[in-house]
């Protein structure tokens, strides 16, 4: 559903320019306002925050739960009659992929600070931080234009490590997409996030760090491919949300429009019973979504439209440090930028 909030919260980054030639201006602004504030915070922890695909054998140790079975040394296992795995030296160089959901629901939020604005700022800053250290970043864009059922993803940007490549990625995120034709298939225009995840699962051969950036407002079926992706790669699910998706304010009669199907509905937000039902359903959806992300085994970072980008990146670094100290498979407390929603009664 889509509506306008009564008051727009203060934005950390200015409204995103829509002209393609403004990509460099946006990146310079983010470098000045965000990256300069983060300088020094990634140094020293860089090797643990971002794990590369090291090839140098460092040690052998007994197999532990959640170890990658592909690293089992069968010769040593046969001699000692106990499973042993190879431990490799982590390489600083890594490849990061951004799997980006650009479906119409991403445009929801206050002017200048929509979920798409947050997505663009996050991807631009993190891409620049990674490429400054010689790492490569690539991207798969889904749901931004065309709306054709036979098209799996809209674009694939192969991984590169230059600033020009980051500018090209930002340019693609800033360029307005052509309006997609109305869909006539069952389910309307619902986002099918599993298409994007299956594309990443099929095409990403080398182990990488994968950022799945979406609001996860999608048709069912994305949980399994996300779990399969997390088994092969280091996956971070970056969830975008807006406070109005959790609780409606009392602003009287408003018209809500589904950004993906175009369906409109007039509701009376002055009705306290309606607002309670809306909050209850939102809480149920929150619980289901977080349970699905936990089962998938991917780290989860929540970015809210009223959140500060620097604070979000600091939460991300803290999450990565805790992941290093926490065995894979154990749950990590969510580091949400929005207020946690209680479970529905």
């Amino acid at each position: 559903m889509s509506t306008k909030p009564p008051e727009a919260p203060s934005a950390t980054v200015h409204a995103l320019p829509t002209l393609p030639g403004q990509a460099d201006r946006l990146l310079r602004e983010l470098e000045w306002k965000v990256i300069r504030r983060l300088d020094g915070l990634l140094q020293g922890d860089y090797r643990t925050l971002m794990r590369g695909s090291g090839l140098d054998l460092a040690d052998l140790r007994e197999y532990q739960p959640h170890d990658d079975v592909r690293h089992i040394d069968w010769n040593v296992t046969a001699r000692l009659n106990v499973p042993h795995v190879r431990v490799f030296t982590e390489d600083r160089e890594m490849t990061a992929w951004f799997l980006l959901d650009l479906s119409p629901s991403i445009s929801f939020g206050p002017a200048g600070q929509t979920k798409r604005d947050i997505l663009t700022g996050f991807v631009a800053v993190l891409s620049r931080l990674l490429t400054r250290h010689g790492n490569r970043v690539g991207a798969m864009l889904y749901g931004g234009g065309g709306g054709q059922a036979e098209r799996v993803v809209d674009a694939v940007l192969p991984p590169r490590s230059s600033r020009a490549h980051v500018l090209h990625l930002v340019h693609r995120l800033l360029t307005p997409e052509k309006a997609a034709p109305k869909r006539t298939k069952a389910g309307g225009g619902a986002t099918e996030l599993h298409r994007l995840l299956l594309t990443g699962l099929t095409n990403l051969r080398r182990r990488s760090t994968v950022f799945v950036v979406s609001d996860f407002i999608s048709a069912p079926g994305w949980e399994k491919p996300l779990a399969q992706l997390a088994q092969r790669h280091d996956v971070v699910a970056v969830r975008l949300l807006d406070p109005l998706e959790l609780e409606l304010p009392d602003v009287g009669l408003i018209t809500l429009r589904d950004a993906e199907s175009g369906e409109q509905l007039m509701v009376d937000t002055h009705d306290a019973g309606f607002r309670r039902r809306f909050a209850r359903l939102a809480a149920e959806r929150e619980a289901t979504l977080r349970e699905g992300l936990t089962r998938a085994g991917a780290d989860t970072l929540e970015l809210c439209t009223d959140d500060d980008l620097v604070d979000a990146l600091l939460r991300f670094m803290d999450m990565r440090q805790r992941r290093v100290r926490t065995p894979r498979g154990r749950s990590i407390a969510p580091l949400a930028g929005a207020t946690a929603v209680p479970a529905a009664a």
Side-chain angles (χ1 to χ4, degrees):
M1 292 297 181
S2 173
T3 184
K4 293 291 185 180
E7 293 182 0
S10 58
T12 303
V13 180
H14 292 276
L16 296 180
T18 56
L19 297 177
Q22 297 293 331
D24 183 67
R25 173 184 168 186
L26 172 63
L27 186 57
R28 288 179 183 275
E29 181 180 354
L30 290 170
E31 288 175 335
W32 178 261
K33 299 177 64 176
V34 178
I35 296 180
R36 282 177 63 91
R37 292 173 60 187
L38 292 171
D39 274 343
L41 295 178
L42 289 179
Q43 298 177 10
D45 294 325
Y46 181 69
R47 294 176 65 89
T48 57
L49 290 176
M50 297 293 183
R51 295 187 177 184
S53 54
L55 300 177
D56 297 331
L57 180 63
D59 196 4
L60 290 168
R61 62 170 173 80
E62 289 190 15
Y63 176 86
Q64 298 177 2
H66 312 299
D67 280 340
D68 192 336
V69 296
R70 293 174 296 181
H71 294 164
I72 293 179
D73 190 312
W74 295 107
N75 292 330
V76 176
T77 299
R79 289 199 303 268
L80 300 179
N81 203 27
V82 176
H84 277 67
V85 294
R86 296 179 179 181
V87 179
F88 297 94
T89 301
E90 292 176 0
D91 194 350
R92 289 178 64 93
E93 292 187 2
M94 59 167 287
T95 301
W97 279 90
F98 291 94
L99 274 55
L100 305 178
D101 172 16
L102 302 179
S103 57
S105 63
I106 294 294
S107 300
F108 180 76
Q113 196 75 353
T114 64
K115 290 187 288 186
R116 179 155 183 159
D117 296 335
I118 299 300
L119 176 148
T120 303
F122 176 80
V123 171
V125 170
L126 201 55
S127 297
R128 191 68 189 112
L129 286 172
L130 292 172
T131 54
R132 288 201 312 175
H133 292 281
N135 300 308
R136 301 185 305 160
V137 297
M140 295 184 182
L141 280 57
Y142 166 79
Q148 299 177 5
E150 65 273 11
R151 178 181 295 176
V152 180
V153 295
D154 299 321
V156 177
L157 278 63
R160 300 287 187 272
S161 59
S162 64
R163 187 178 188 275
H165 180 65
V166 177
L167 280 173
H168 178 55
L169 174 57
V170 174
H171 165 75
R172 292 299 302 263
L173 296 178
L174 293 177
T175 303
E177 301 287 353
K178 295 181 180 180
K182 293 184 179 180
R183 304 182 187 183
T184 57
K185 64 178 182 178
T191 299
E192 297 176 330
L193 188 60
H194 68 276
R195 289 177 173 267
L196 174 62
L197 298 174
L198 288 175
T199 302
L201 188 64
T202 303
N203 293 278
L204 302 185
R205 301 296 184 180
R206 182 180 178 183
R207 179 174 174 82
S208 308
T209 299
V210 180
F211 298 91
V212 181
V213 189
S214 172
D215 57 5
F216 291 90
I217 300 177
S218 167
W222 55 266
E223 295 89 347
K224 182 177 180 180
L226 180 62
Q228 293 174 333
L229 196 66
Q231 290 176 354
R232 298 185 183 182
H233 305 277
D234 185 10
V235 176
V236 180
V238 183
R239 187 217 172 177
L240 308 171
L241 72 158
D242 185 271
L244 290 180
E245 295 173 339
L246 308 177
E247 186 176 359
L248 285 178
D250 183 0
V251 292
L253 283 173
I254 58 173
T255 300
L256 302 179
R257 182 179 65 87
D258 191 309
E260 303 195 351
S261 67
E263 181 181 358
Q264 295 187 2
L265 178 67
M266 179 169 289
V267 299
D268 183 8
T269 59
H270 185 65
D271 185 348
F274 171 78
R275 296 199 308 274
R276 285 194 298 269
R277 291 193 299 273
F278 181 92
R280 177 176 57 82
L281 293 174
E284 292 175 355
R285 179 183 177 276
E286 282 288 296
T288 302
L289 175 58
R290 293 186 179 183
E291 182 182 355
L293 291 172
T294 301
R295 286 199 309 267
D299 290 341
T300 303
L301 178 68
E302 295 186 354
L303 298 181
C304 189
T305 55
D306 61 0
D307 201 8
D308 183 90
L309 187 56
V310 174
D311 291 341
L313 290 171
L314 291 177
R315 293 200 309 273
F316 170 68
M317 289 188 292
D318 180 66
M319 177 181 64
R320 302 302 293 178
Q321 291 170 341
R322 293 198 295 162
R323 168 57 71 192
V324 172
R325 298 191 297 265
T326 305
R328 188 171 182 83
R330 293 186 184 178
S331 61
I332 292 183
L335 298 168
T339 304
V341 180

